[in-house]
């Protein structure tokens, strides 16, 4: 079977980095390009970090594009308190030498979806949805050309991580999320309900260290770094590896389970802005618009990560 074509839209971020490495390690996937967005850190850093990660993986041939430097309507909120000043704190890696592509990320997304046959490209999003919303705004015809969007964002039973009600990626640009959730595109959502079950343990970290590779060392060091924040916050022995769930789902959908339900984005309330209101119990007549995941086989997930990342 030919590899599945994907675009990764991202705001790296250590967990974004692990997701990108997993994708680059997977022969089942063909990464057409990586588009970056402002999120965990400002755009200049996410565009830099994406290239640092590609070079670490030995893939300077991957096209990296910079996209939106701010949300559609709101002031950018970043997360250096979790990811450090660079977004990739934890290990010193060389400045990238591979170029940033000239085109804007949104133009790349639109052009690629128009050039490829309908239904050929899956879009994987690991950050705020600004670039995707801008692409849909600019070229509404791409909605029916996208095979699916698999995204990390939102929360229902776990509620929020940046406010009591909202998850970071959706909170940063709720208007963009609203546009994507209303688009009619086939959506699969990895909310905190799932990612908070994908907790690292000392054994997982050791498995990465034991690889004896630069990539294994980097993954262990990154995880070590951002764990400190989450372990204290959640009083758990490890930290959630959010974004790799998106790529793991493409490789092993059987590791995840959830429900096809209606999900709406709260835009107006100051208290709950950015909340993903999931009709988990089907108590409204609203049309289901997303596969909202709720569970993951964490052992299977970490085994997949170790097996694939060990090949880099
Ligand atoms: C999401 O926010 C970011 O901090 C992570 O990279 C992940 O995409 C988790 O809420
Ligand atoms: Ca991210």
């Amino acid at each position: 079977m030919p590899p599945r074509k994907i675009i990764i839209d991202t705001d790296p971020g250590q967990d974004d980095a692990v997701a990108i490495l997993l994708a680059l390690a997977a022969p089942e996937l063909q990464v057409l390009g990586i588009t970056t967005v402002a999120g965990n850190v400002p755009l200049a850093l996410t565009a830099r970090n994406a290239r640092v990660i590609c070079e670490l993986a030995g893939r300077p041939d991957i096209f990296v594009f910079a996209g939106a430097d701010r949300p559609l309507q709101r002031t950018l909120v970043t997360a250096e308190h979790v990811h450090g000043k660079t977004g990739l704190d934890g290990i010193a890696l060389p400045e990238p030498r591979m170029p940033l592509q000239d085109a804007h990320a949104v133009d790349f997304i639109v052009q690629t979806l128009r050039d490829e046959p309908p239904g050929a490209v899956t879009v994987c999003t690991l950050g705020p949805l600004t670039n995707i919303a801008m692409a849909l705004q600019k070229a509404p015809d791409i909605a029916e050309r996208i095979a699916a969007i698999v995204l990390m964002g939102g929360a229902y039973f776990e509620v929020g991580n940046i406010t009591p009600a909202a998850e970071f990626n959706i909170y940063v640009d709720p208007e963009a999320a609203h546009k994507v959730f209303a688009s009619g595109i086939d959506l699969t959502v990895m909310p905190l309900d799932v990612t908070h079950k994908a907790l690292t343990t000392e054994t997982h970290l050791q498995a990465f260290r034991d690889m004896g590779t630069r990539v294994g060392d980097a993954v262990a060091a990154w995880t070590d770094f951002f764990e400190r924040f989450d372990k204290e916050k959640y009083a758990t022995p490890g930290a959630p590896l959010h974004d790799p769930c998106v790529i793991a789902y493409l490789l092993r959908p059987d590791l995840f389970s959830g429900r096809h339900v209606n999900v709406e984005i709260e835009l107006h309330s100051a208290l709950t802005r950015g909340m993903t209101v999931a009709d988990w119990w089907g108590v409204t007549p609203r049309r289901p618009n997303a596969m909202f995941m709720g569970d993951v086989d964490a052992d299977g997930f970490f085994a997949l990560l170790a097996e694939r990342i060990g090949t880099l």
Side-chain angles (χ1 to χ4, degrees):
M1 227 183 24
R4 181 163 174 182
K5 295 178 179 179
I6 65 170
I7 293 173
I8 302 178
D9 188 73
T10 176
D11 63 338
Q14 294 90 349
D15 62 321
D16 303 69
V18 179
I20 292 168
L21 291 173
L22 179 60
L24 294 179
E28 302 95 320
L29 303 176
Q30 181 186 354
V31 180
L32 299 179
I34 296 180
T35 54
T36 60
V37 64
N40 285 324
V41 285
L43 182 69
L45 281 170
T46 61
R48 165 199 178 265
N49 293 349
R51 289 174 293 143
V52 168
I53 298 156
C54 291
E55 287 191 358
L56 174 69
R59 296 296 305 275
D61 56 303
I62 299 285
F63 292 149
V64 176
F65 302 84
D69 66 357
R70 72 195 72 166
L72 295 183
Q73 294 178 25
R74 302 191 186 265
T75 307
L76 177 65
V77 174
T78 52
E80 286 88 354
H81 59 294
V82 183
H83 300 276
K85 211 158 47 77
T86 65
L88 275 189
D89 282 19
I91 186 168
L93 292 168
E95 282 305 310
R97 297 165 58 154
M98 63 188 277
L100 185 62
Q101 299 299 307
D102 288 336
H104 191 283
V106 170
D107 294 329
F108 168 75
I109 292 169
V110 169
Q111 202 51 52
T112 305
L113 287 163
R114 284 180 175 166
D115 289 349
E116 293 286 342
V121 180
T122 298
V123 176
C124 302
T125 74
L126 315 177
L129 288 158
T130 320
N131 286 338
I132 312 305
M134 285 172 68
L136 288 169
Q137 221 155 329
K138 186 167 181 175
D141 58 288
I142 63 170
E144 49 188 41
R145 304 183 70 87
I146 298 180
I149 296 179
V150 184
L151 68 97
M152 192 281 134
Y156 189 63
F157 294 101
E158 278 290 296
V159 291
N161 62 355
I162 184 78
T163 74
E167 180 279 332
F168 180 80
N169 289 340
I170 306 295
Y171 178 77
V172 170
D173 198 342
E175 283 74 19
H178 174 74
K179 199 157 182 51
V180 170
F181 278 80
S183 67
I185 296 168
D186 178 335
L187 297 182
T188 297
V189 181
M190 294 292 163
L192 298 181
D193 307 282
V194 169
T195 67
H196 281 188
K197 291 174 183 140
L199 291 180
T200 54
T201 62
E202 188 43 44
T203 317
H204 299 137
L205 257 69
Q206 196 53 46
F208 289 120
R209 286 189 205 107
D210 289 346
M211 287 170 187
T213 61
R214 284 178 70 224
V215 172
D217 289 347
V219 171
W222 284 330
T223 312
D224 238 350
F225 179 86
F226 77 82
E227 267 196 346
R228 87 214 176 291
F229 175 80
D230 281 331
K231 276 158 107 171
E232 195 179 311
K233 180 173 171 191
Y234 299 115
T236 49
L241 262 188
H242 306 282
D243 294 336
C245 289
V246 167
I247 306 297
Y249 174 76
L250 298 183
L251 303 175
R252 288 282 311 276
D254 57 300
L255 294 175
F256 299 87
S257 58
R259 291 189 186 180
H260 193 234
V261 296
N262 176 268
V263 182
E264 301 292 333
I265 311 296
E266 173 58 44
L267 296 179
H268 305 296
S269 154
L271 271 179
T272 59
R273 188 166 59 234
M275 186 174 182
T276 43
V277 180
D279 188 4
W280 187 258
W281 304 113
V283 293
T284 75
R286 294 195 286 260
R287 192 181 57 79
N289 59 347
M291 185 68 191
F292 199 81
M293 292 301 178
D295 210 350
V296 56
D297 167 356
D299 289 340
F301 169 73
F302 279 101
L304 174 71
L305 270 184
E307 177 204 318
R308 297 311 182 89
I309 285 180
T311 65
L312 288 175

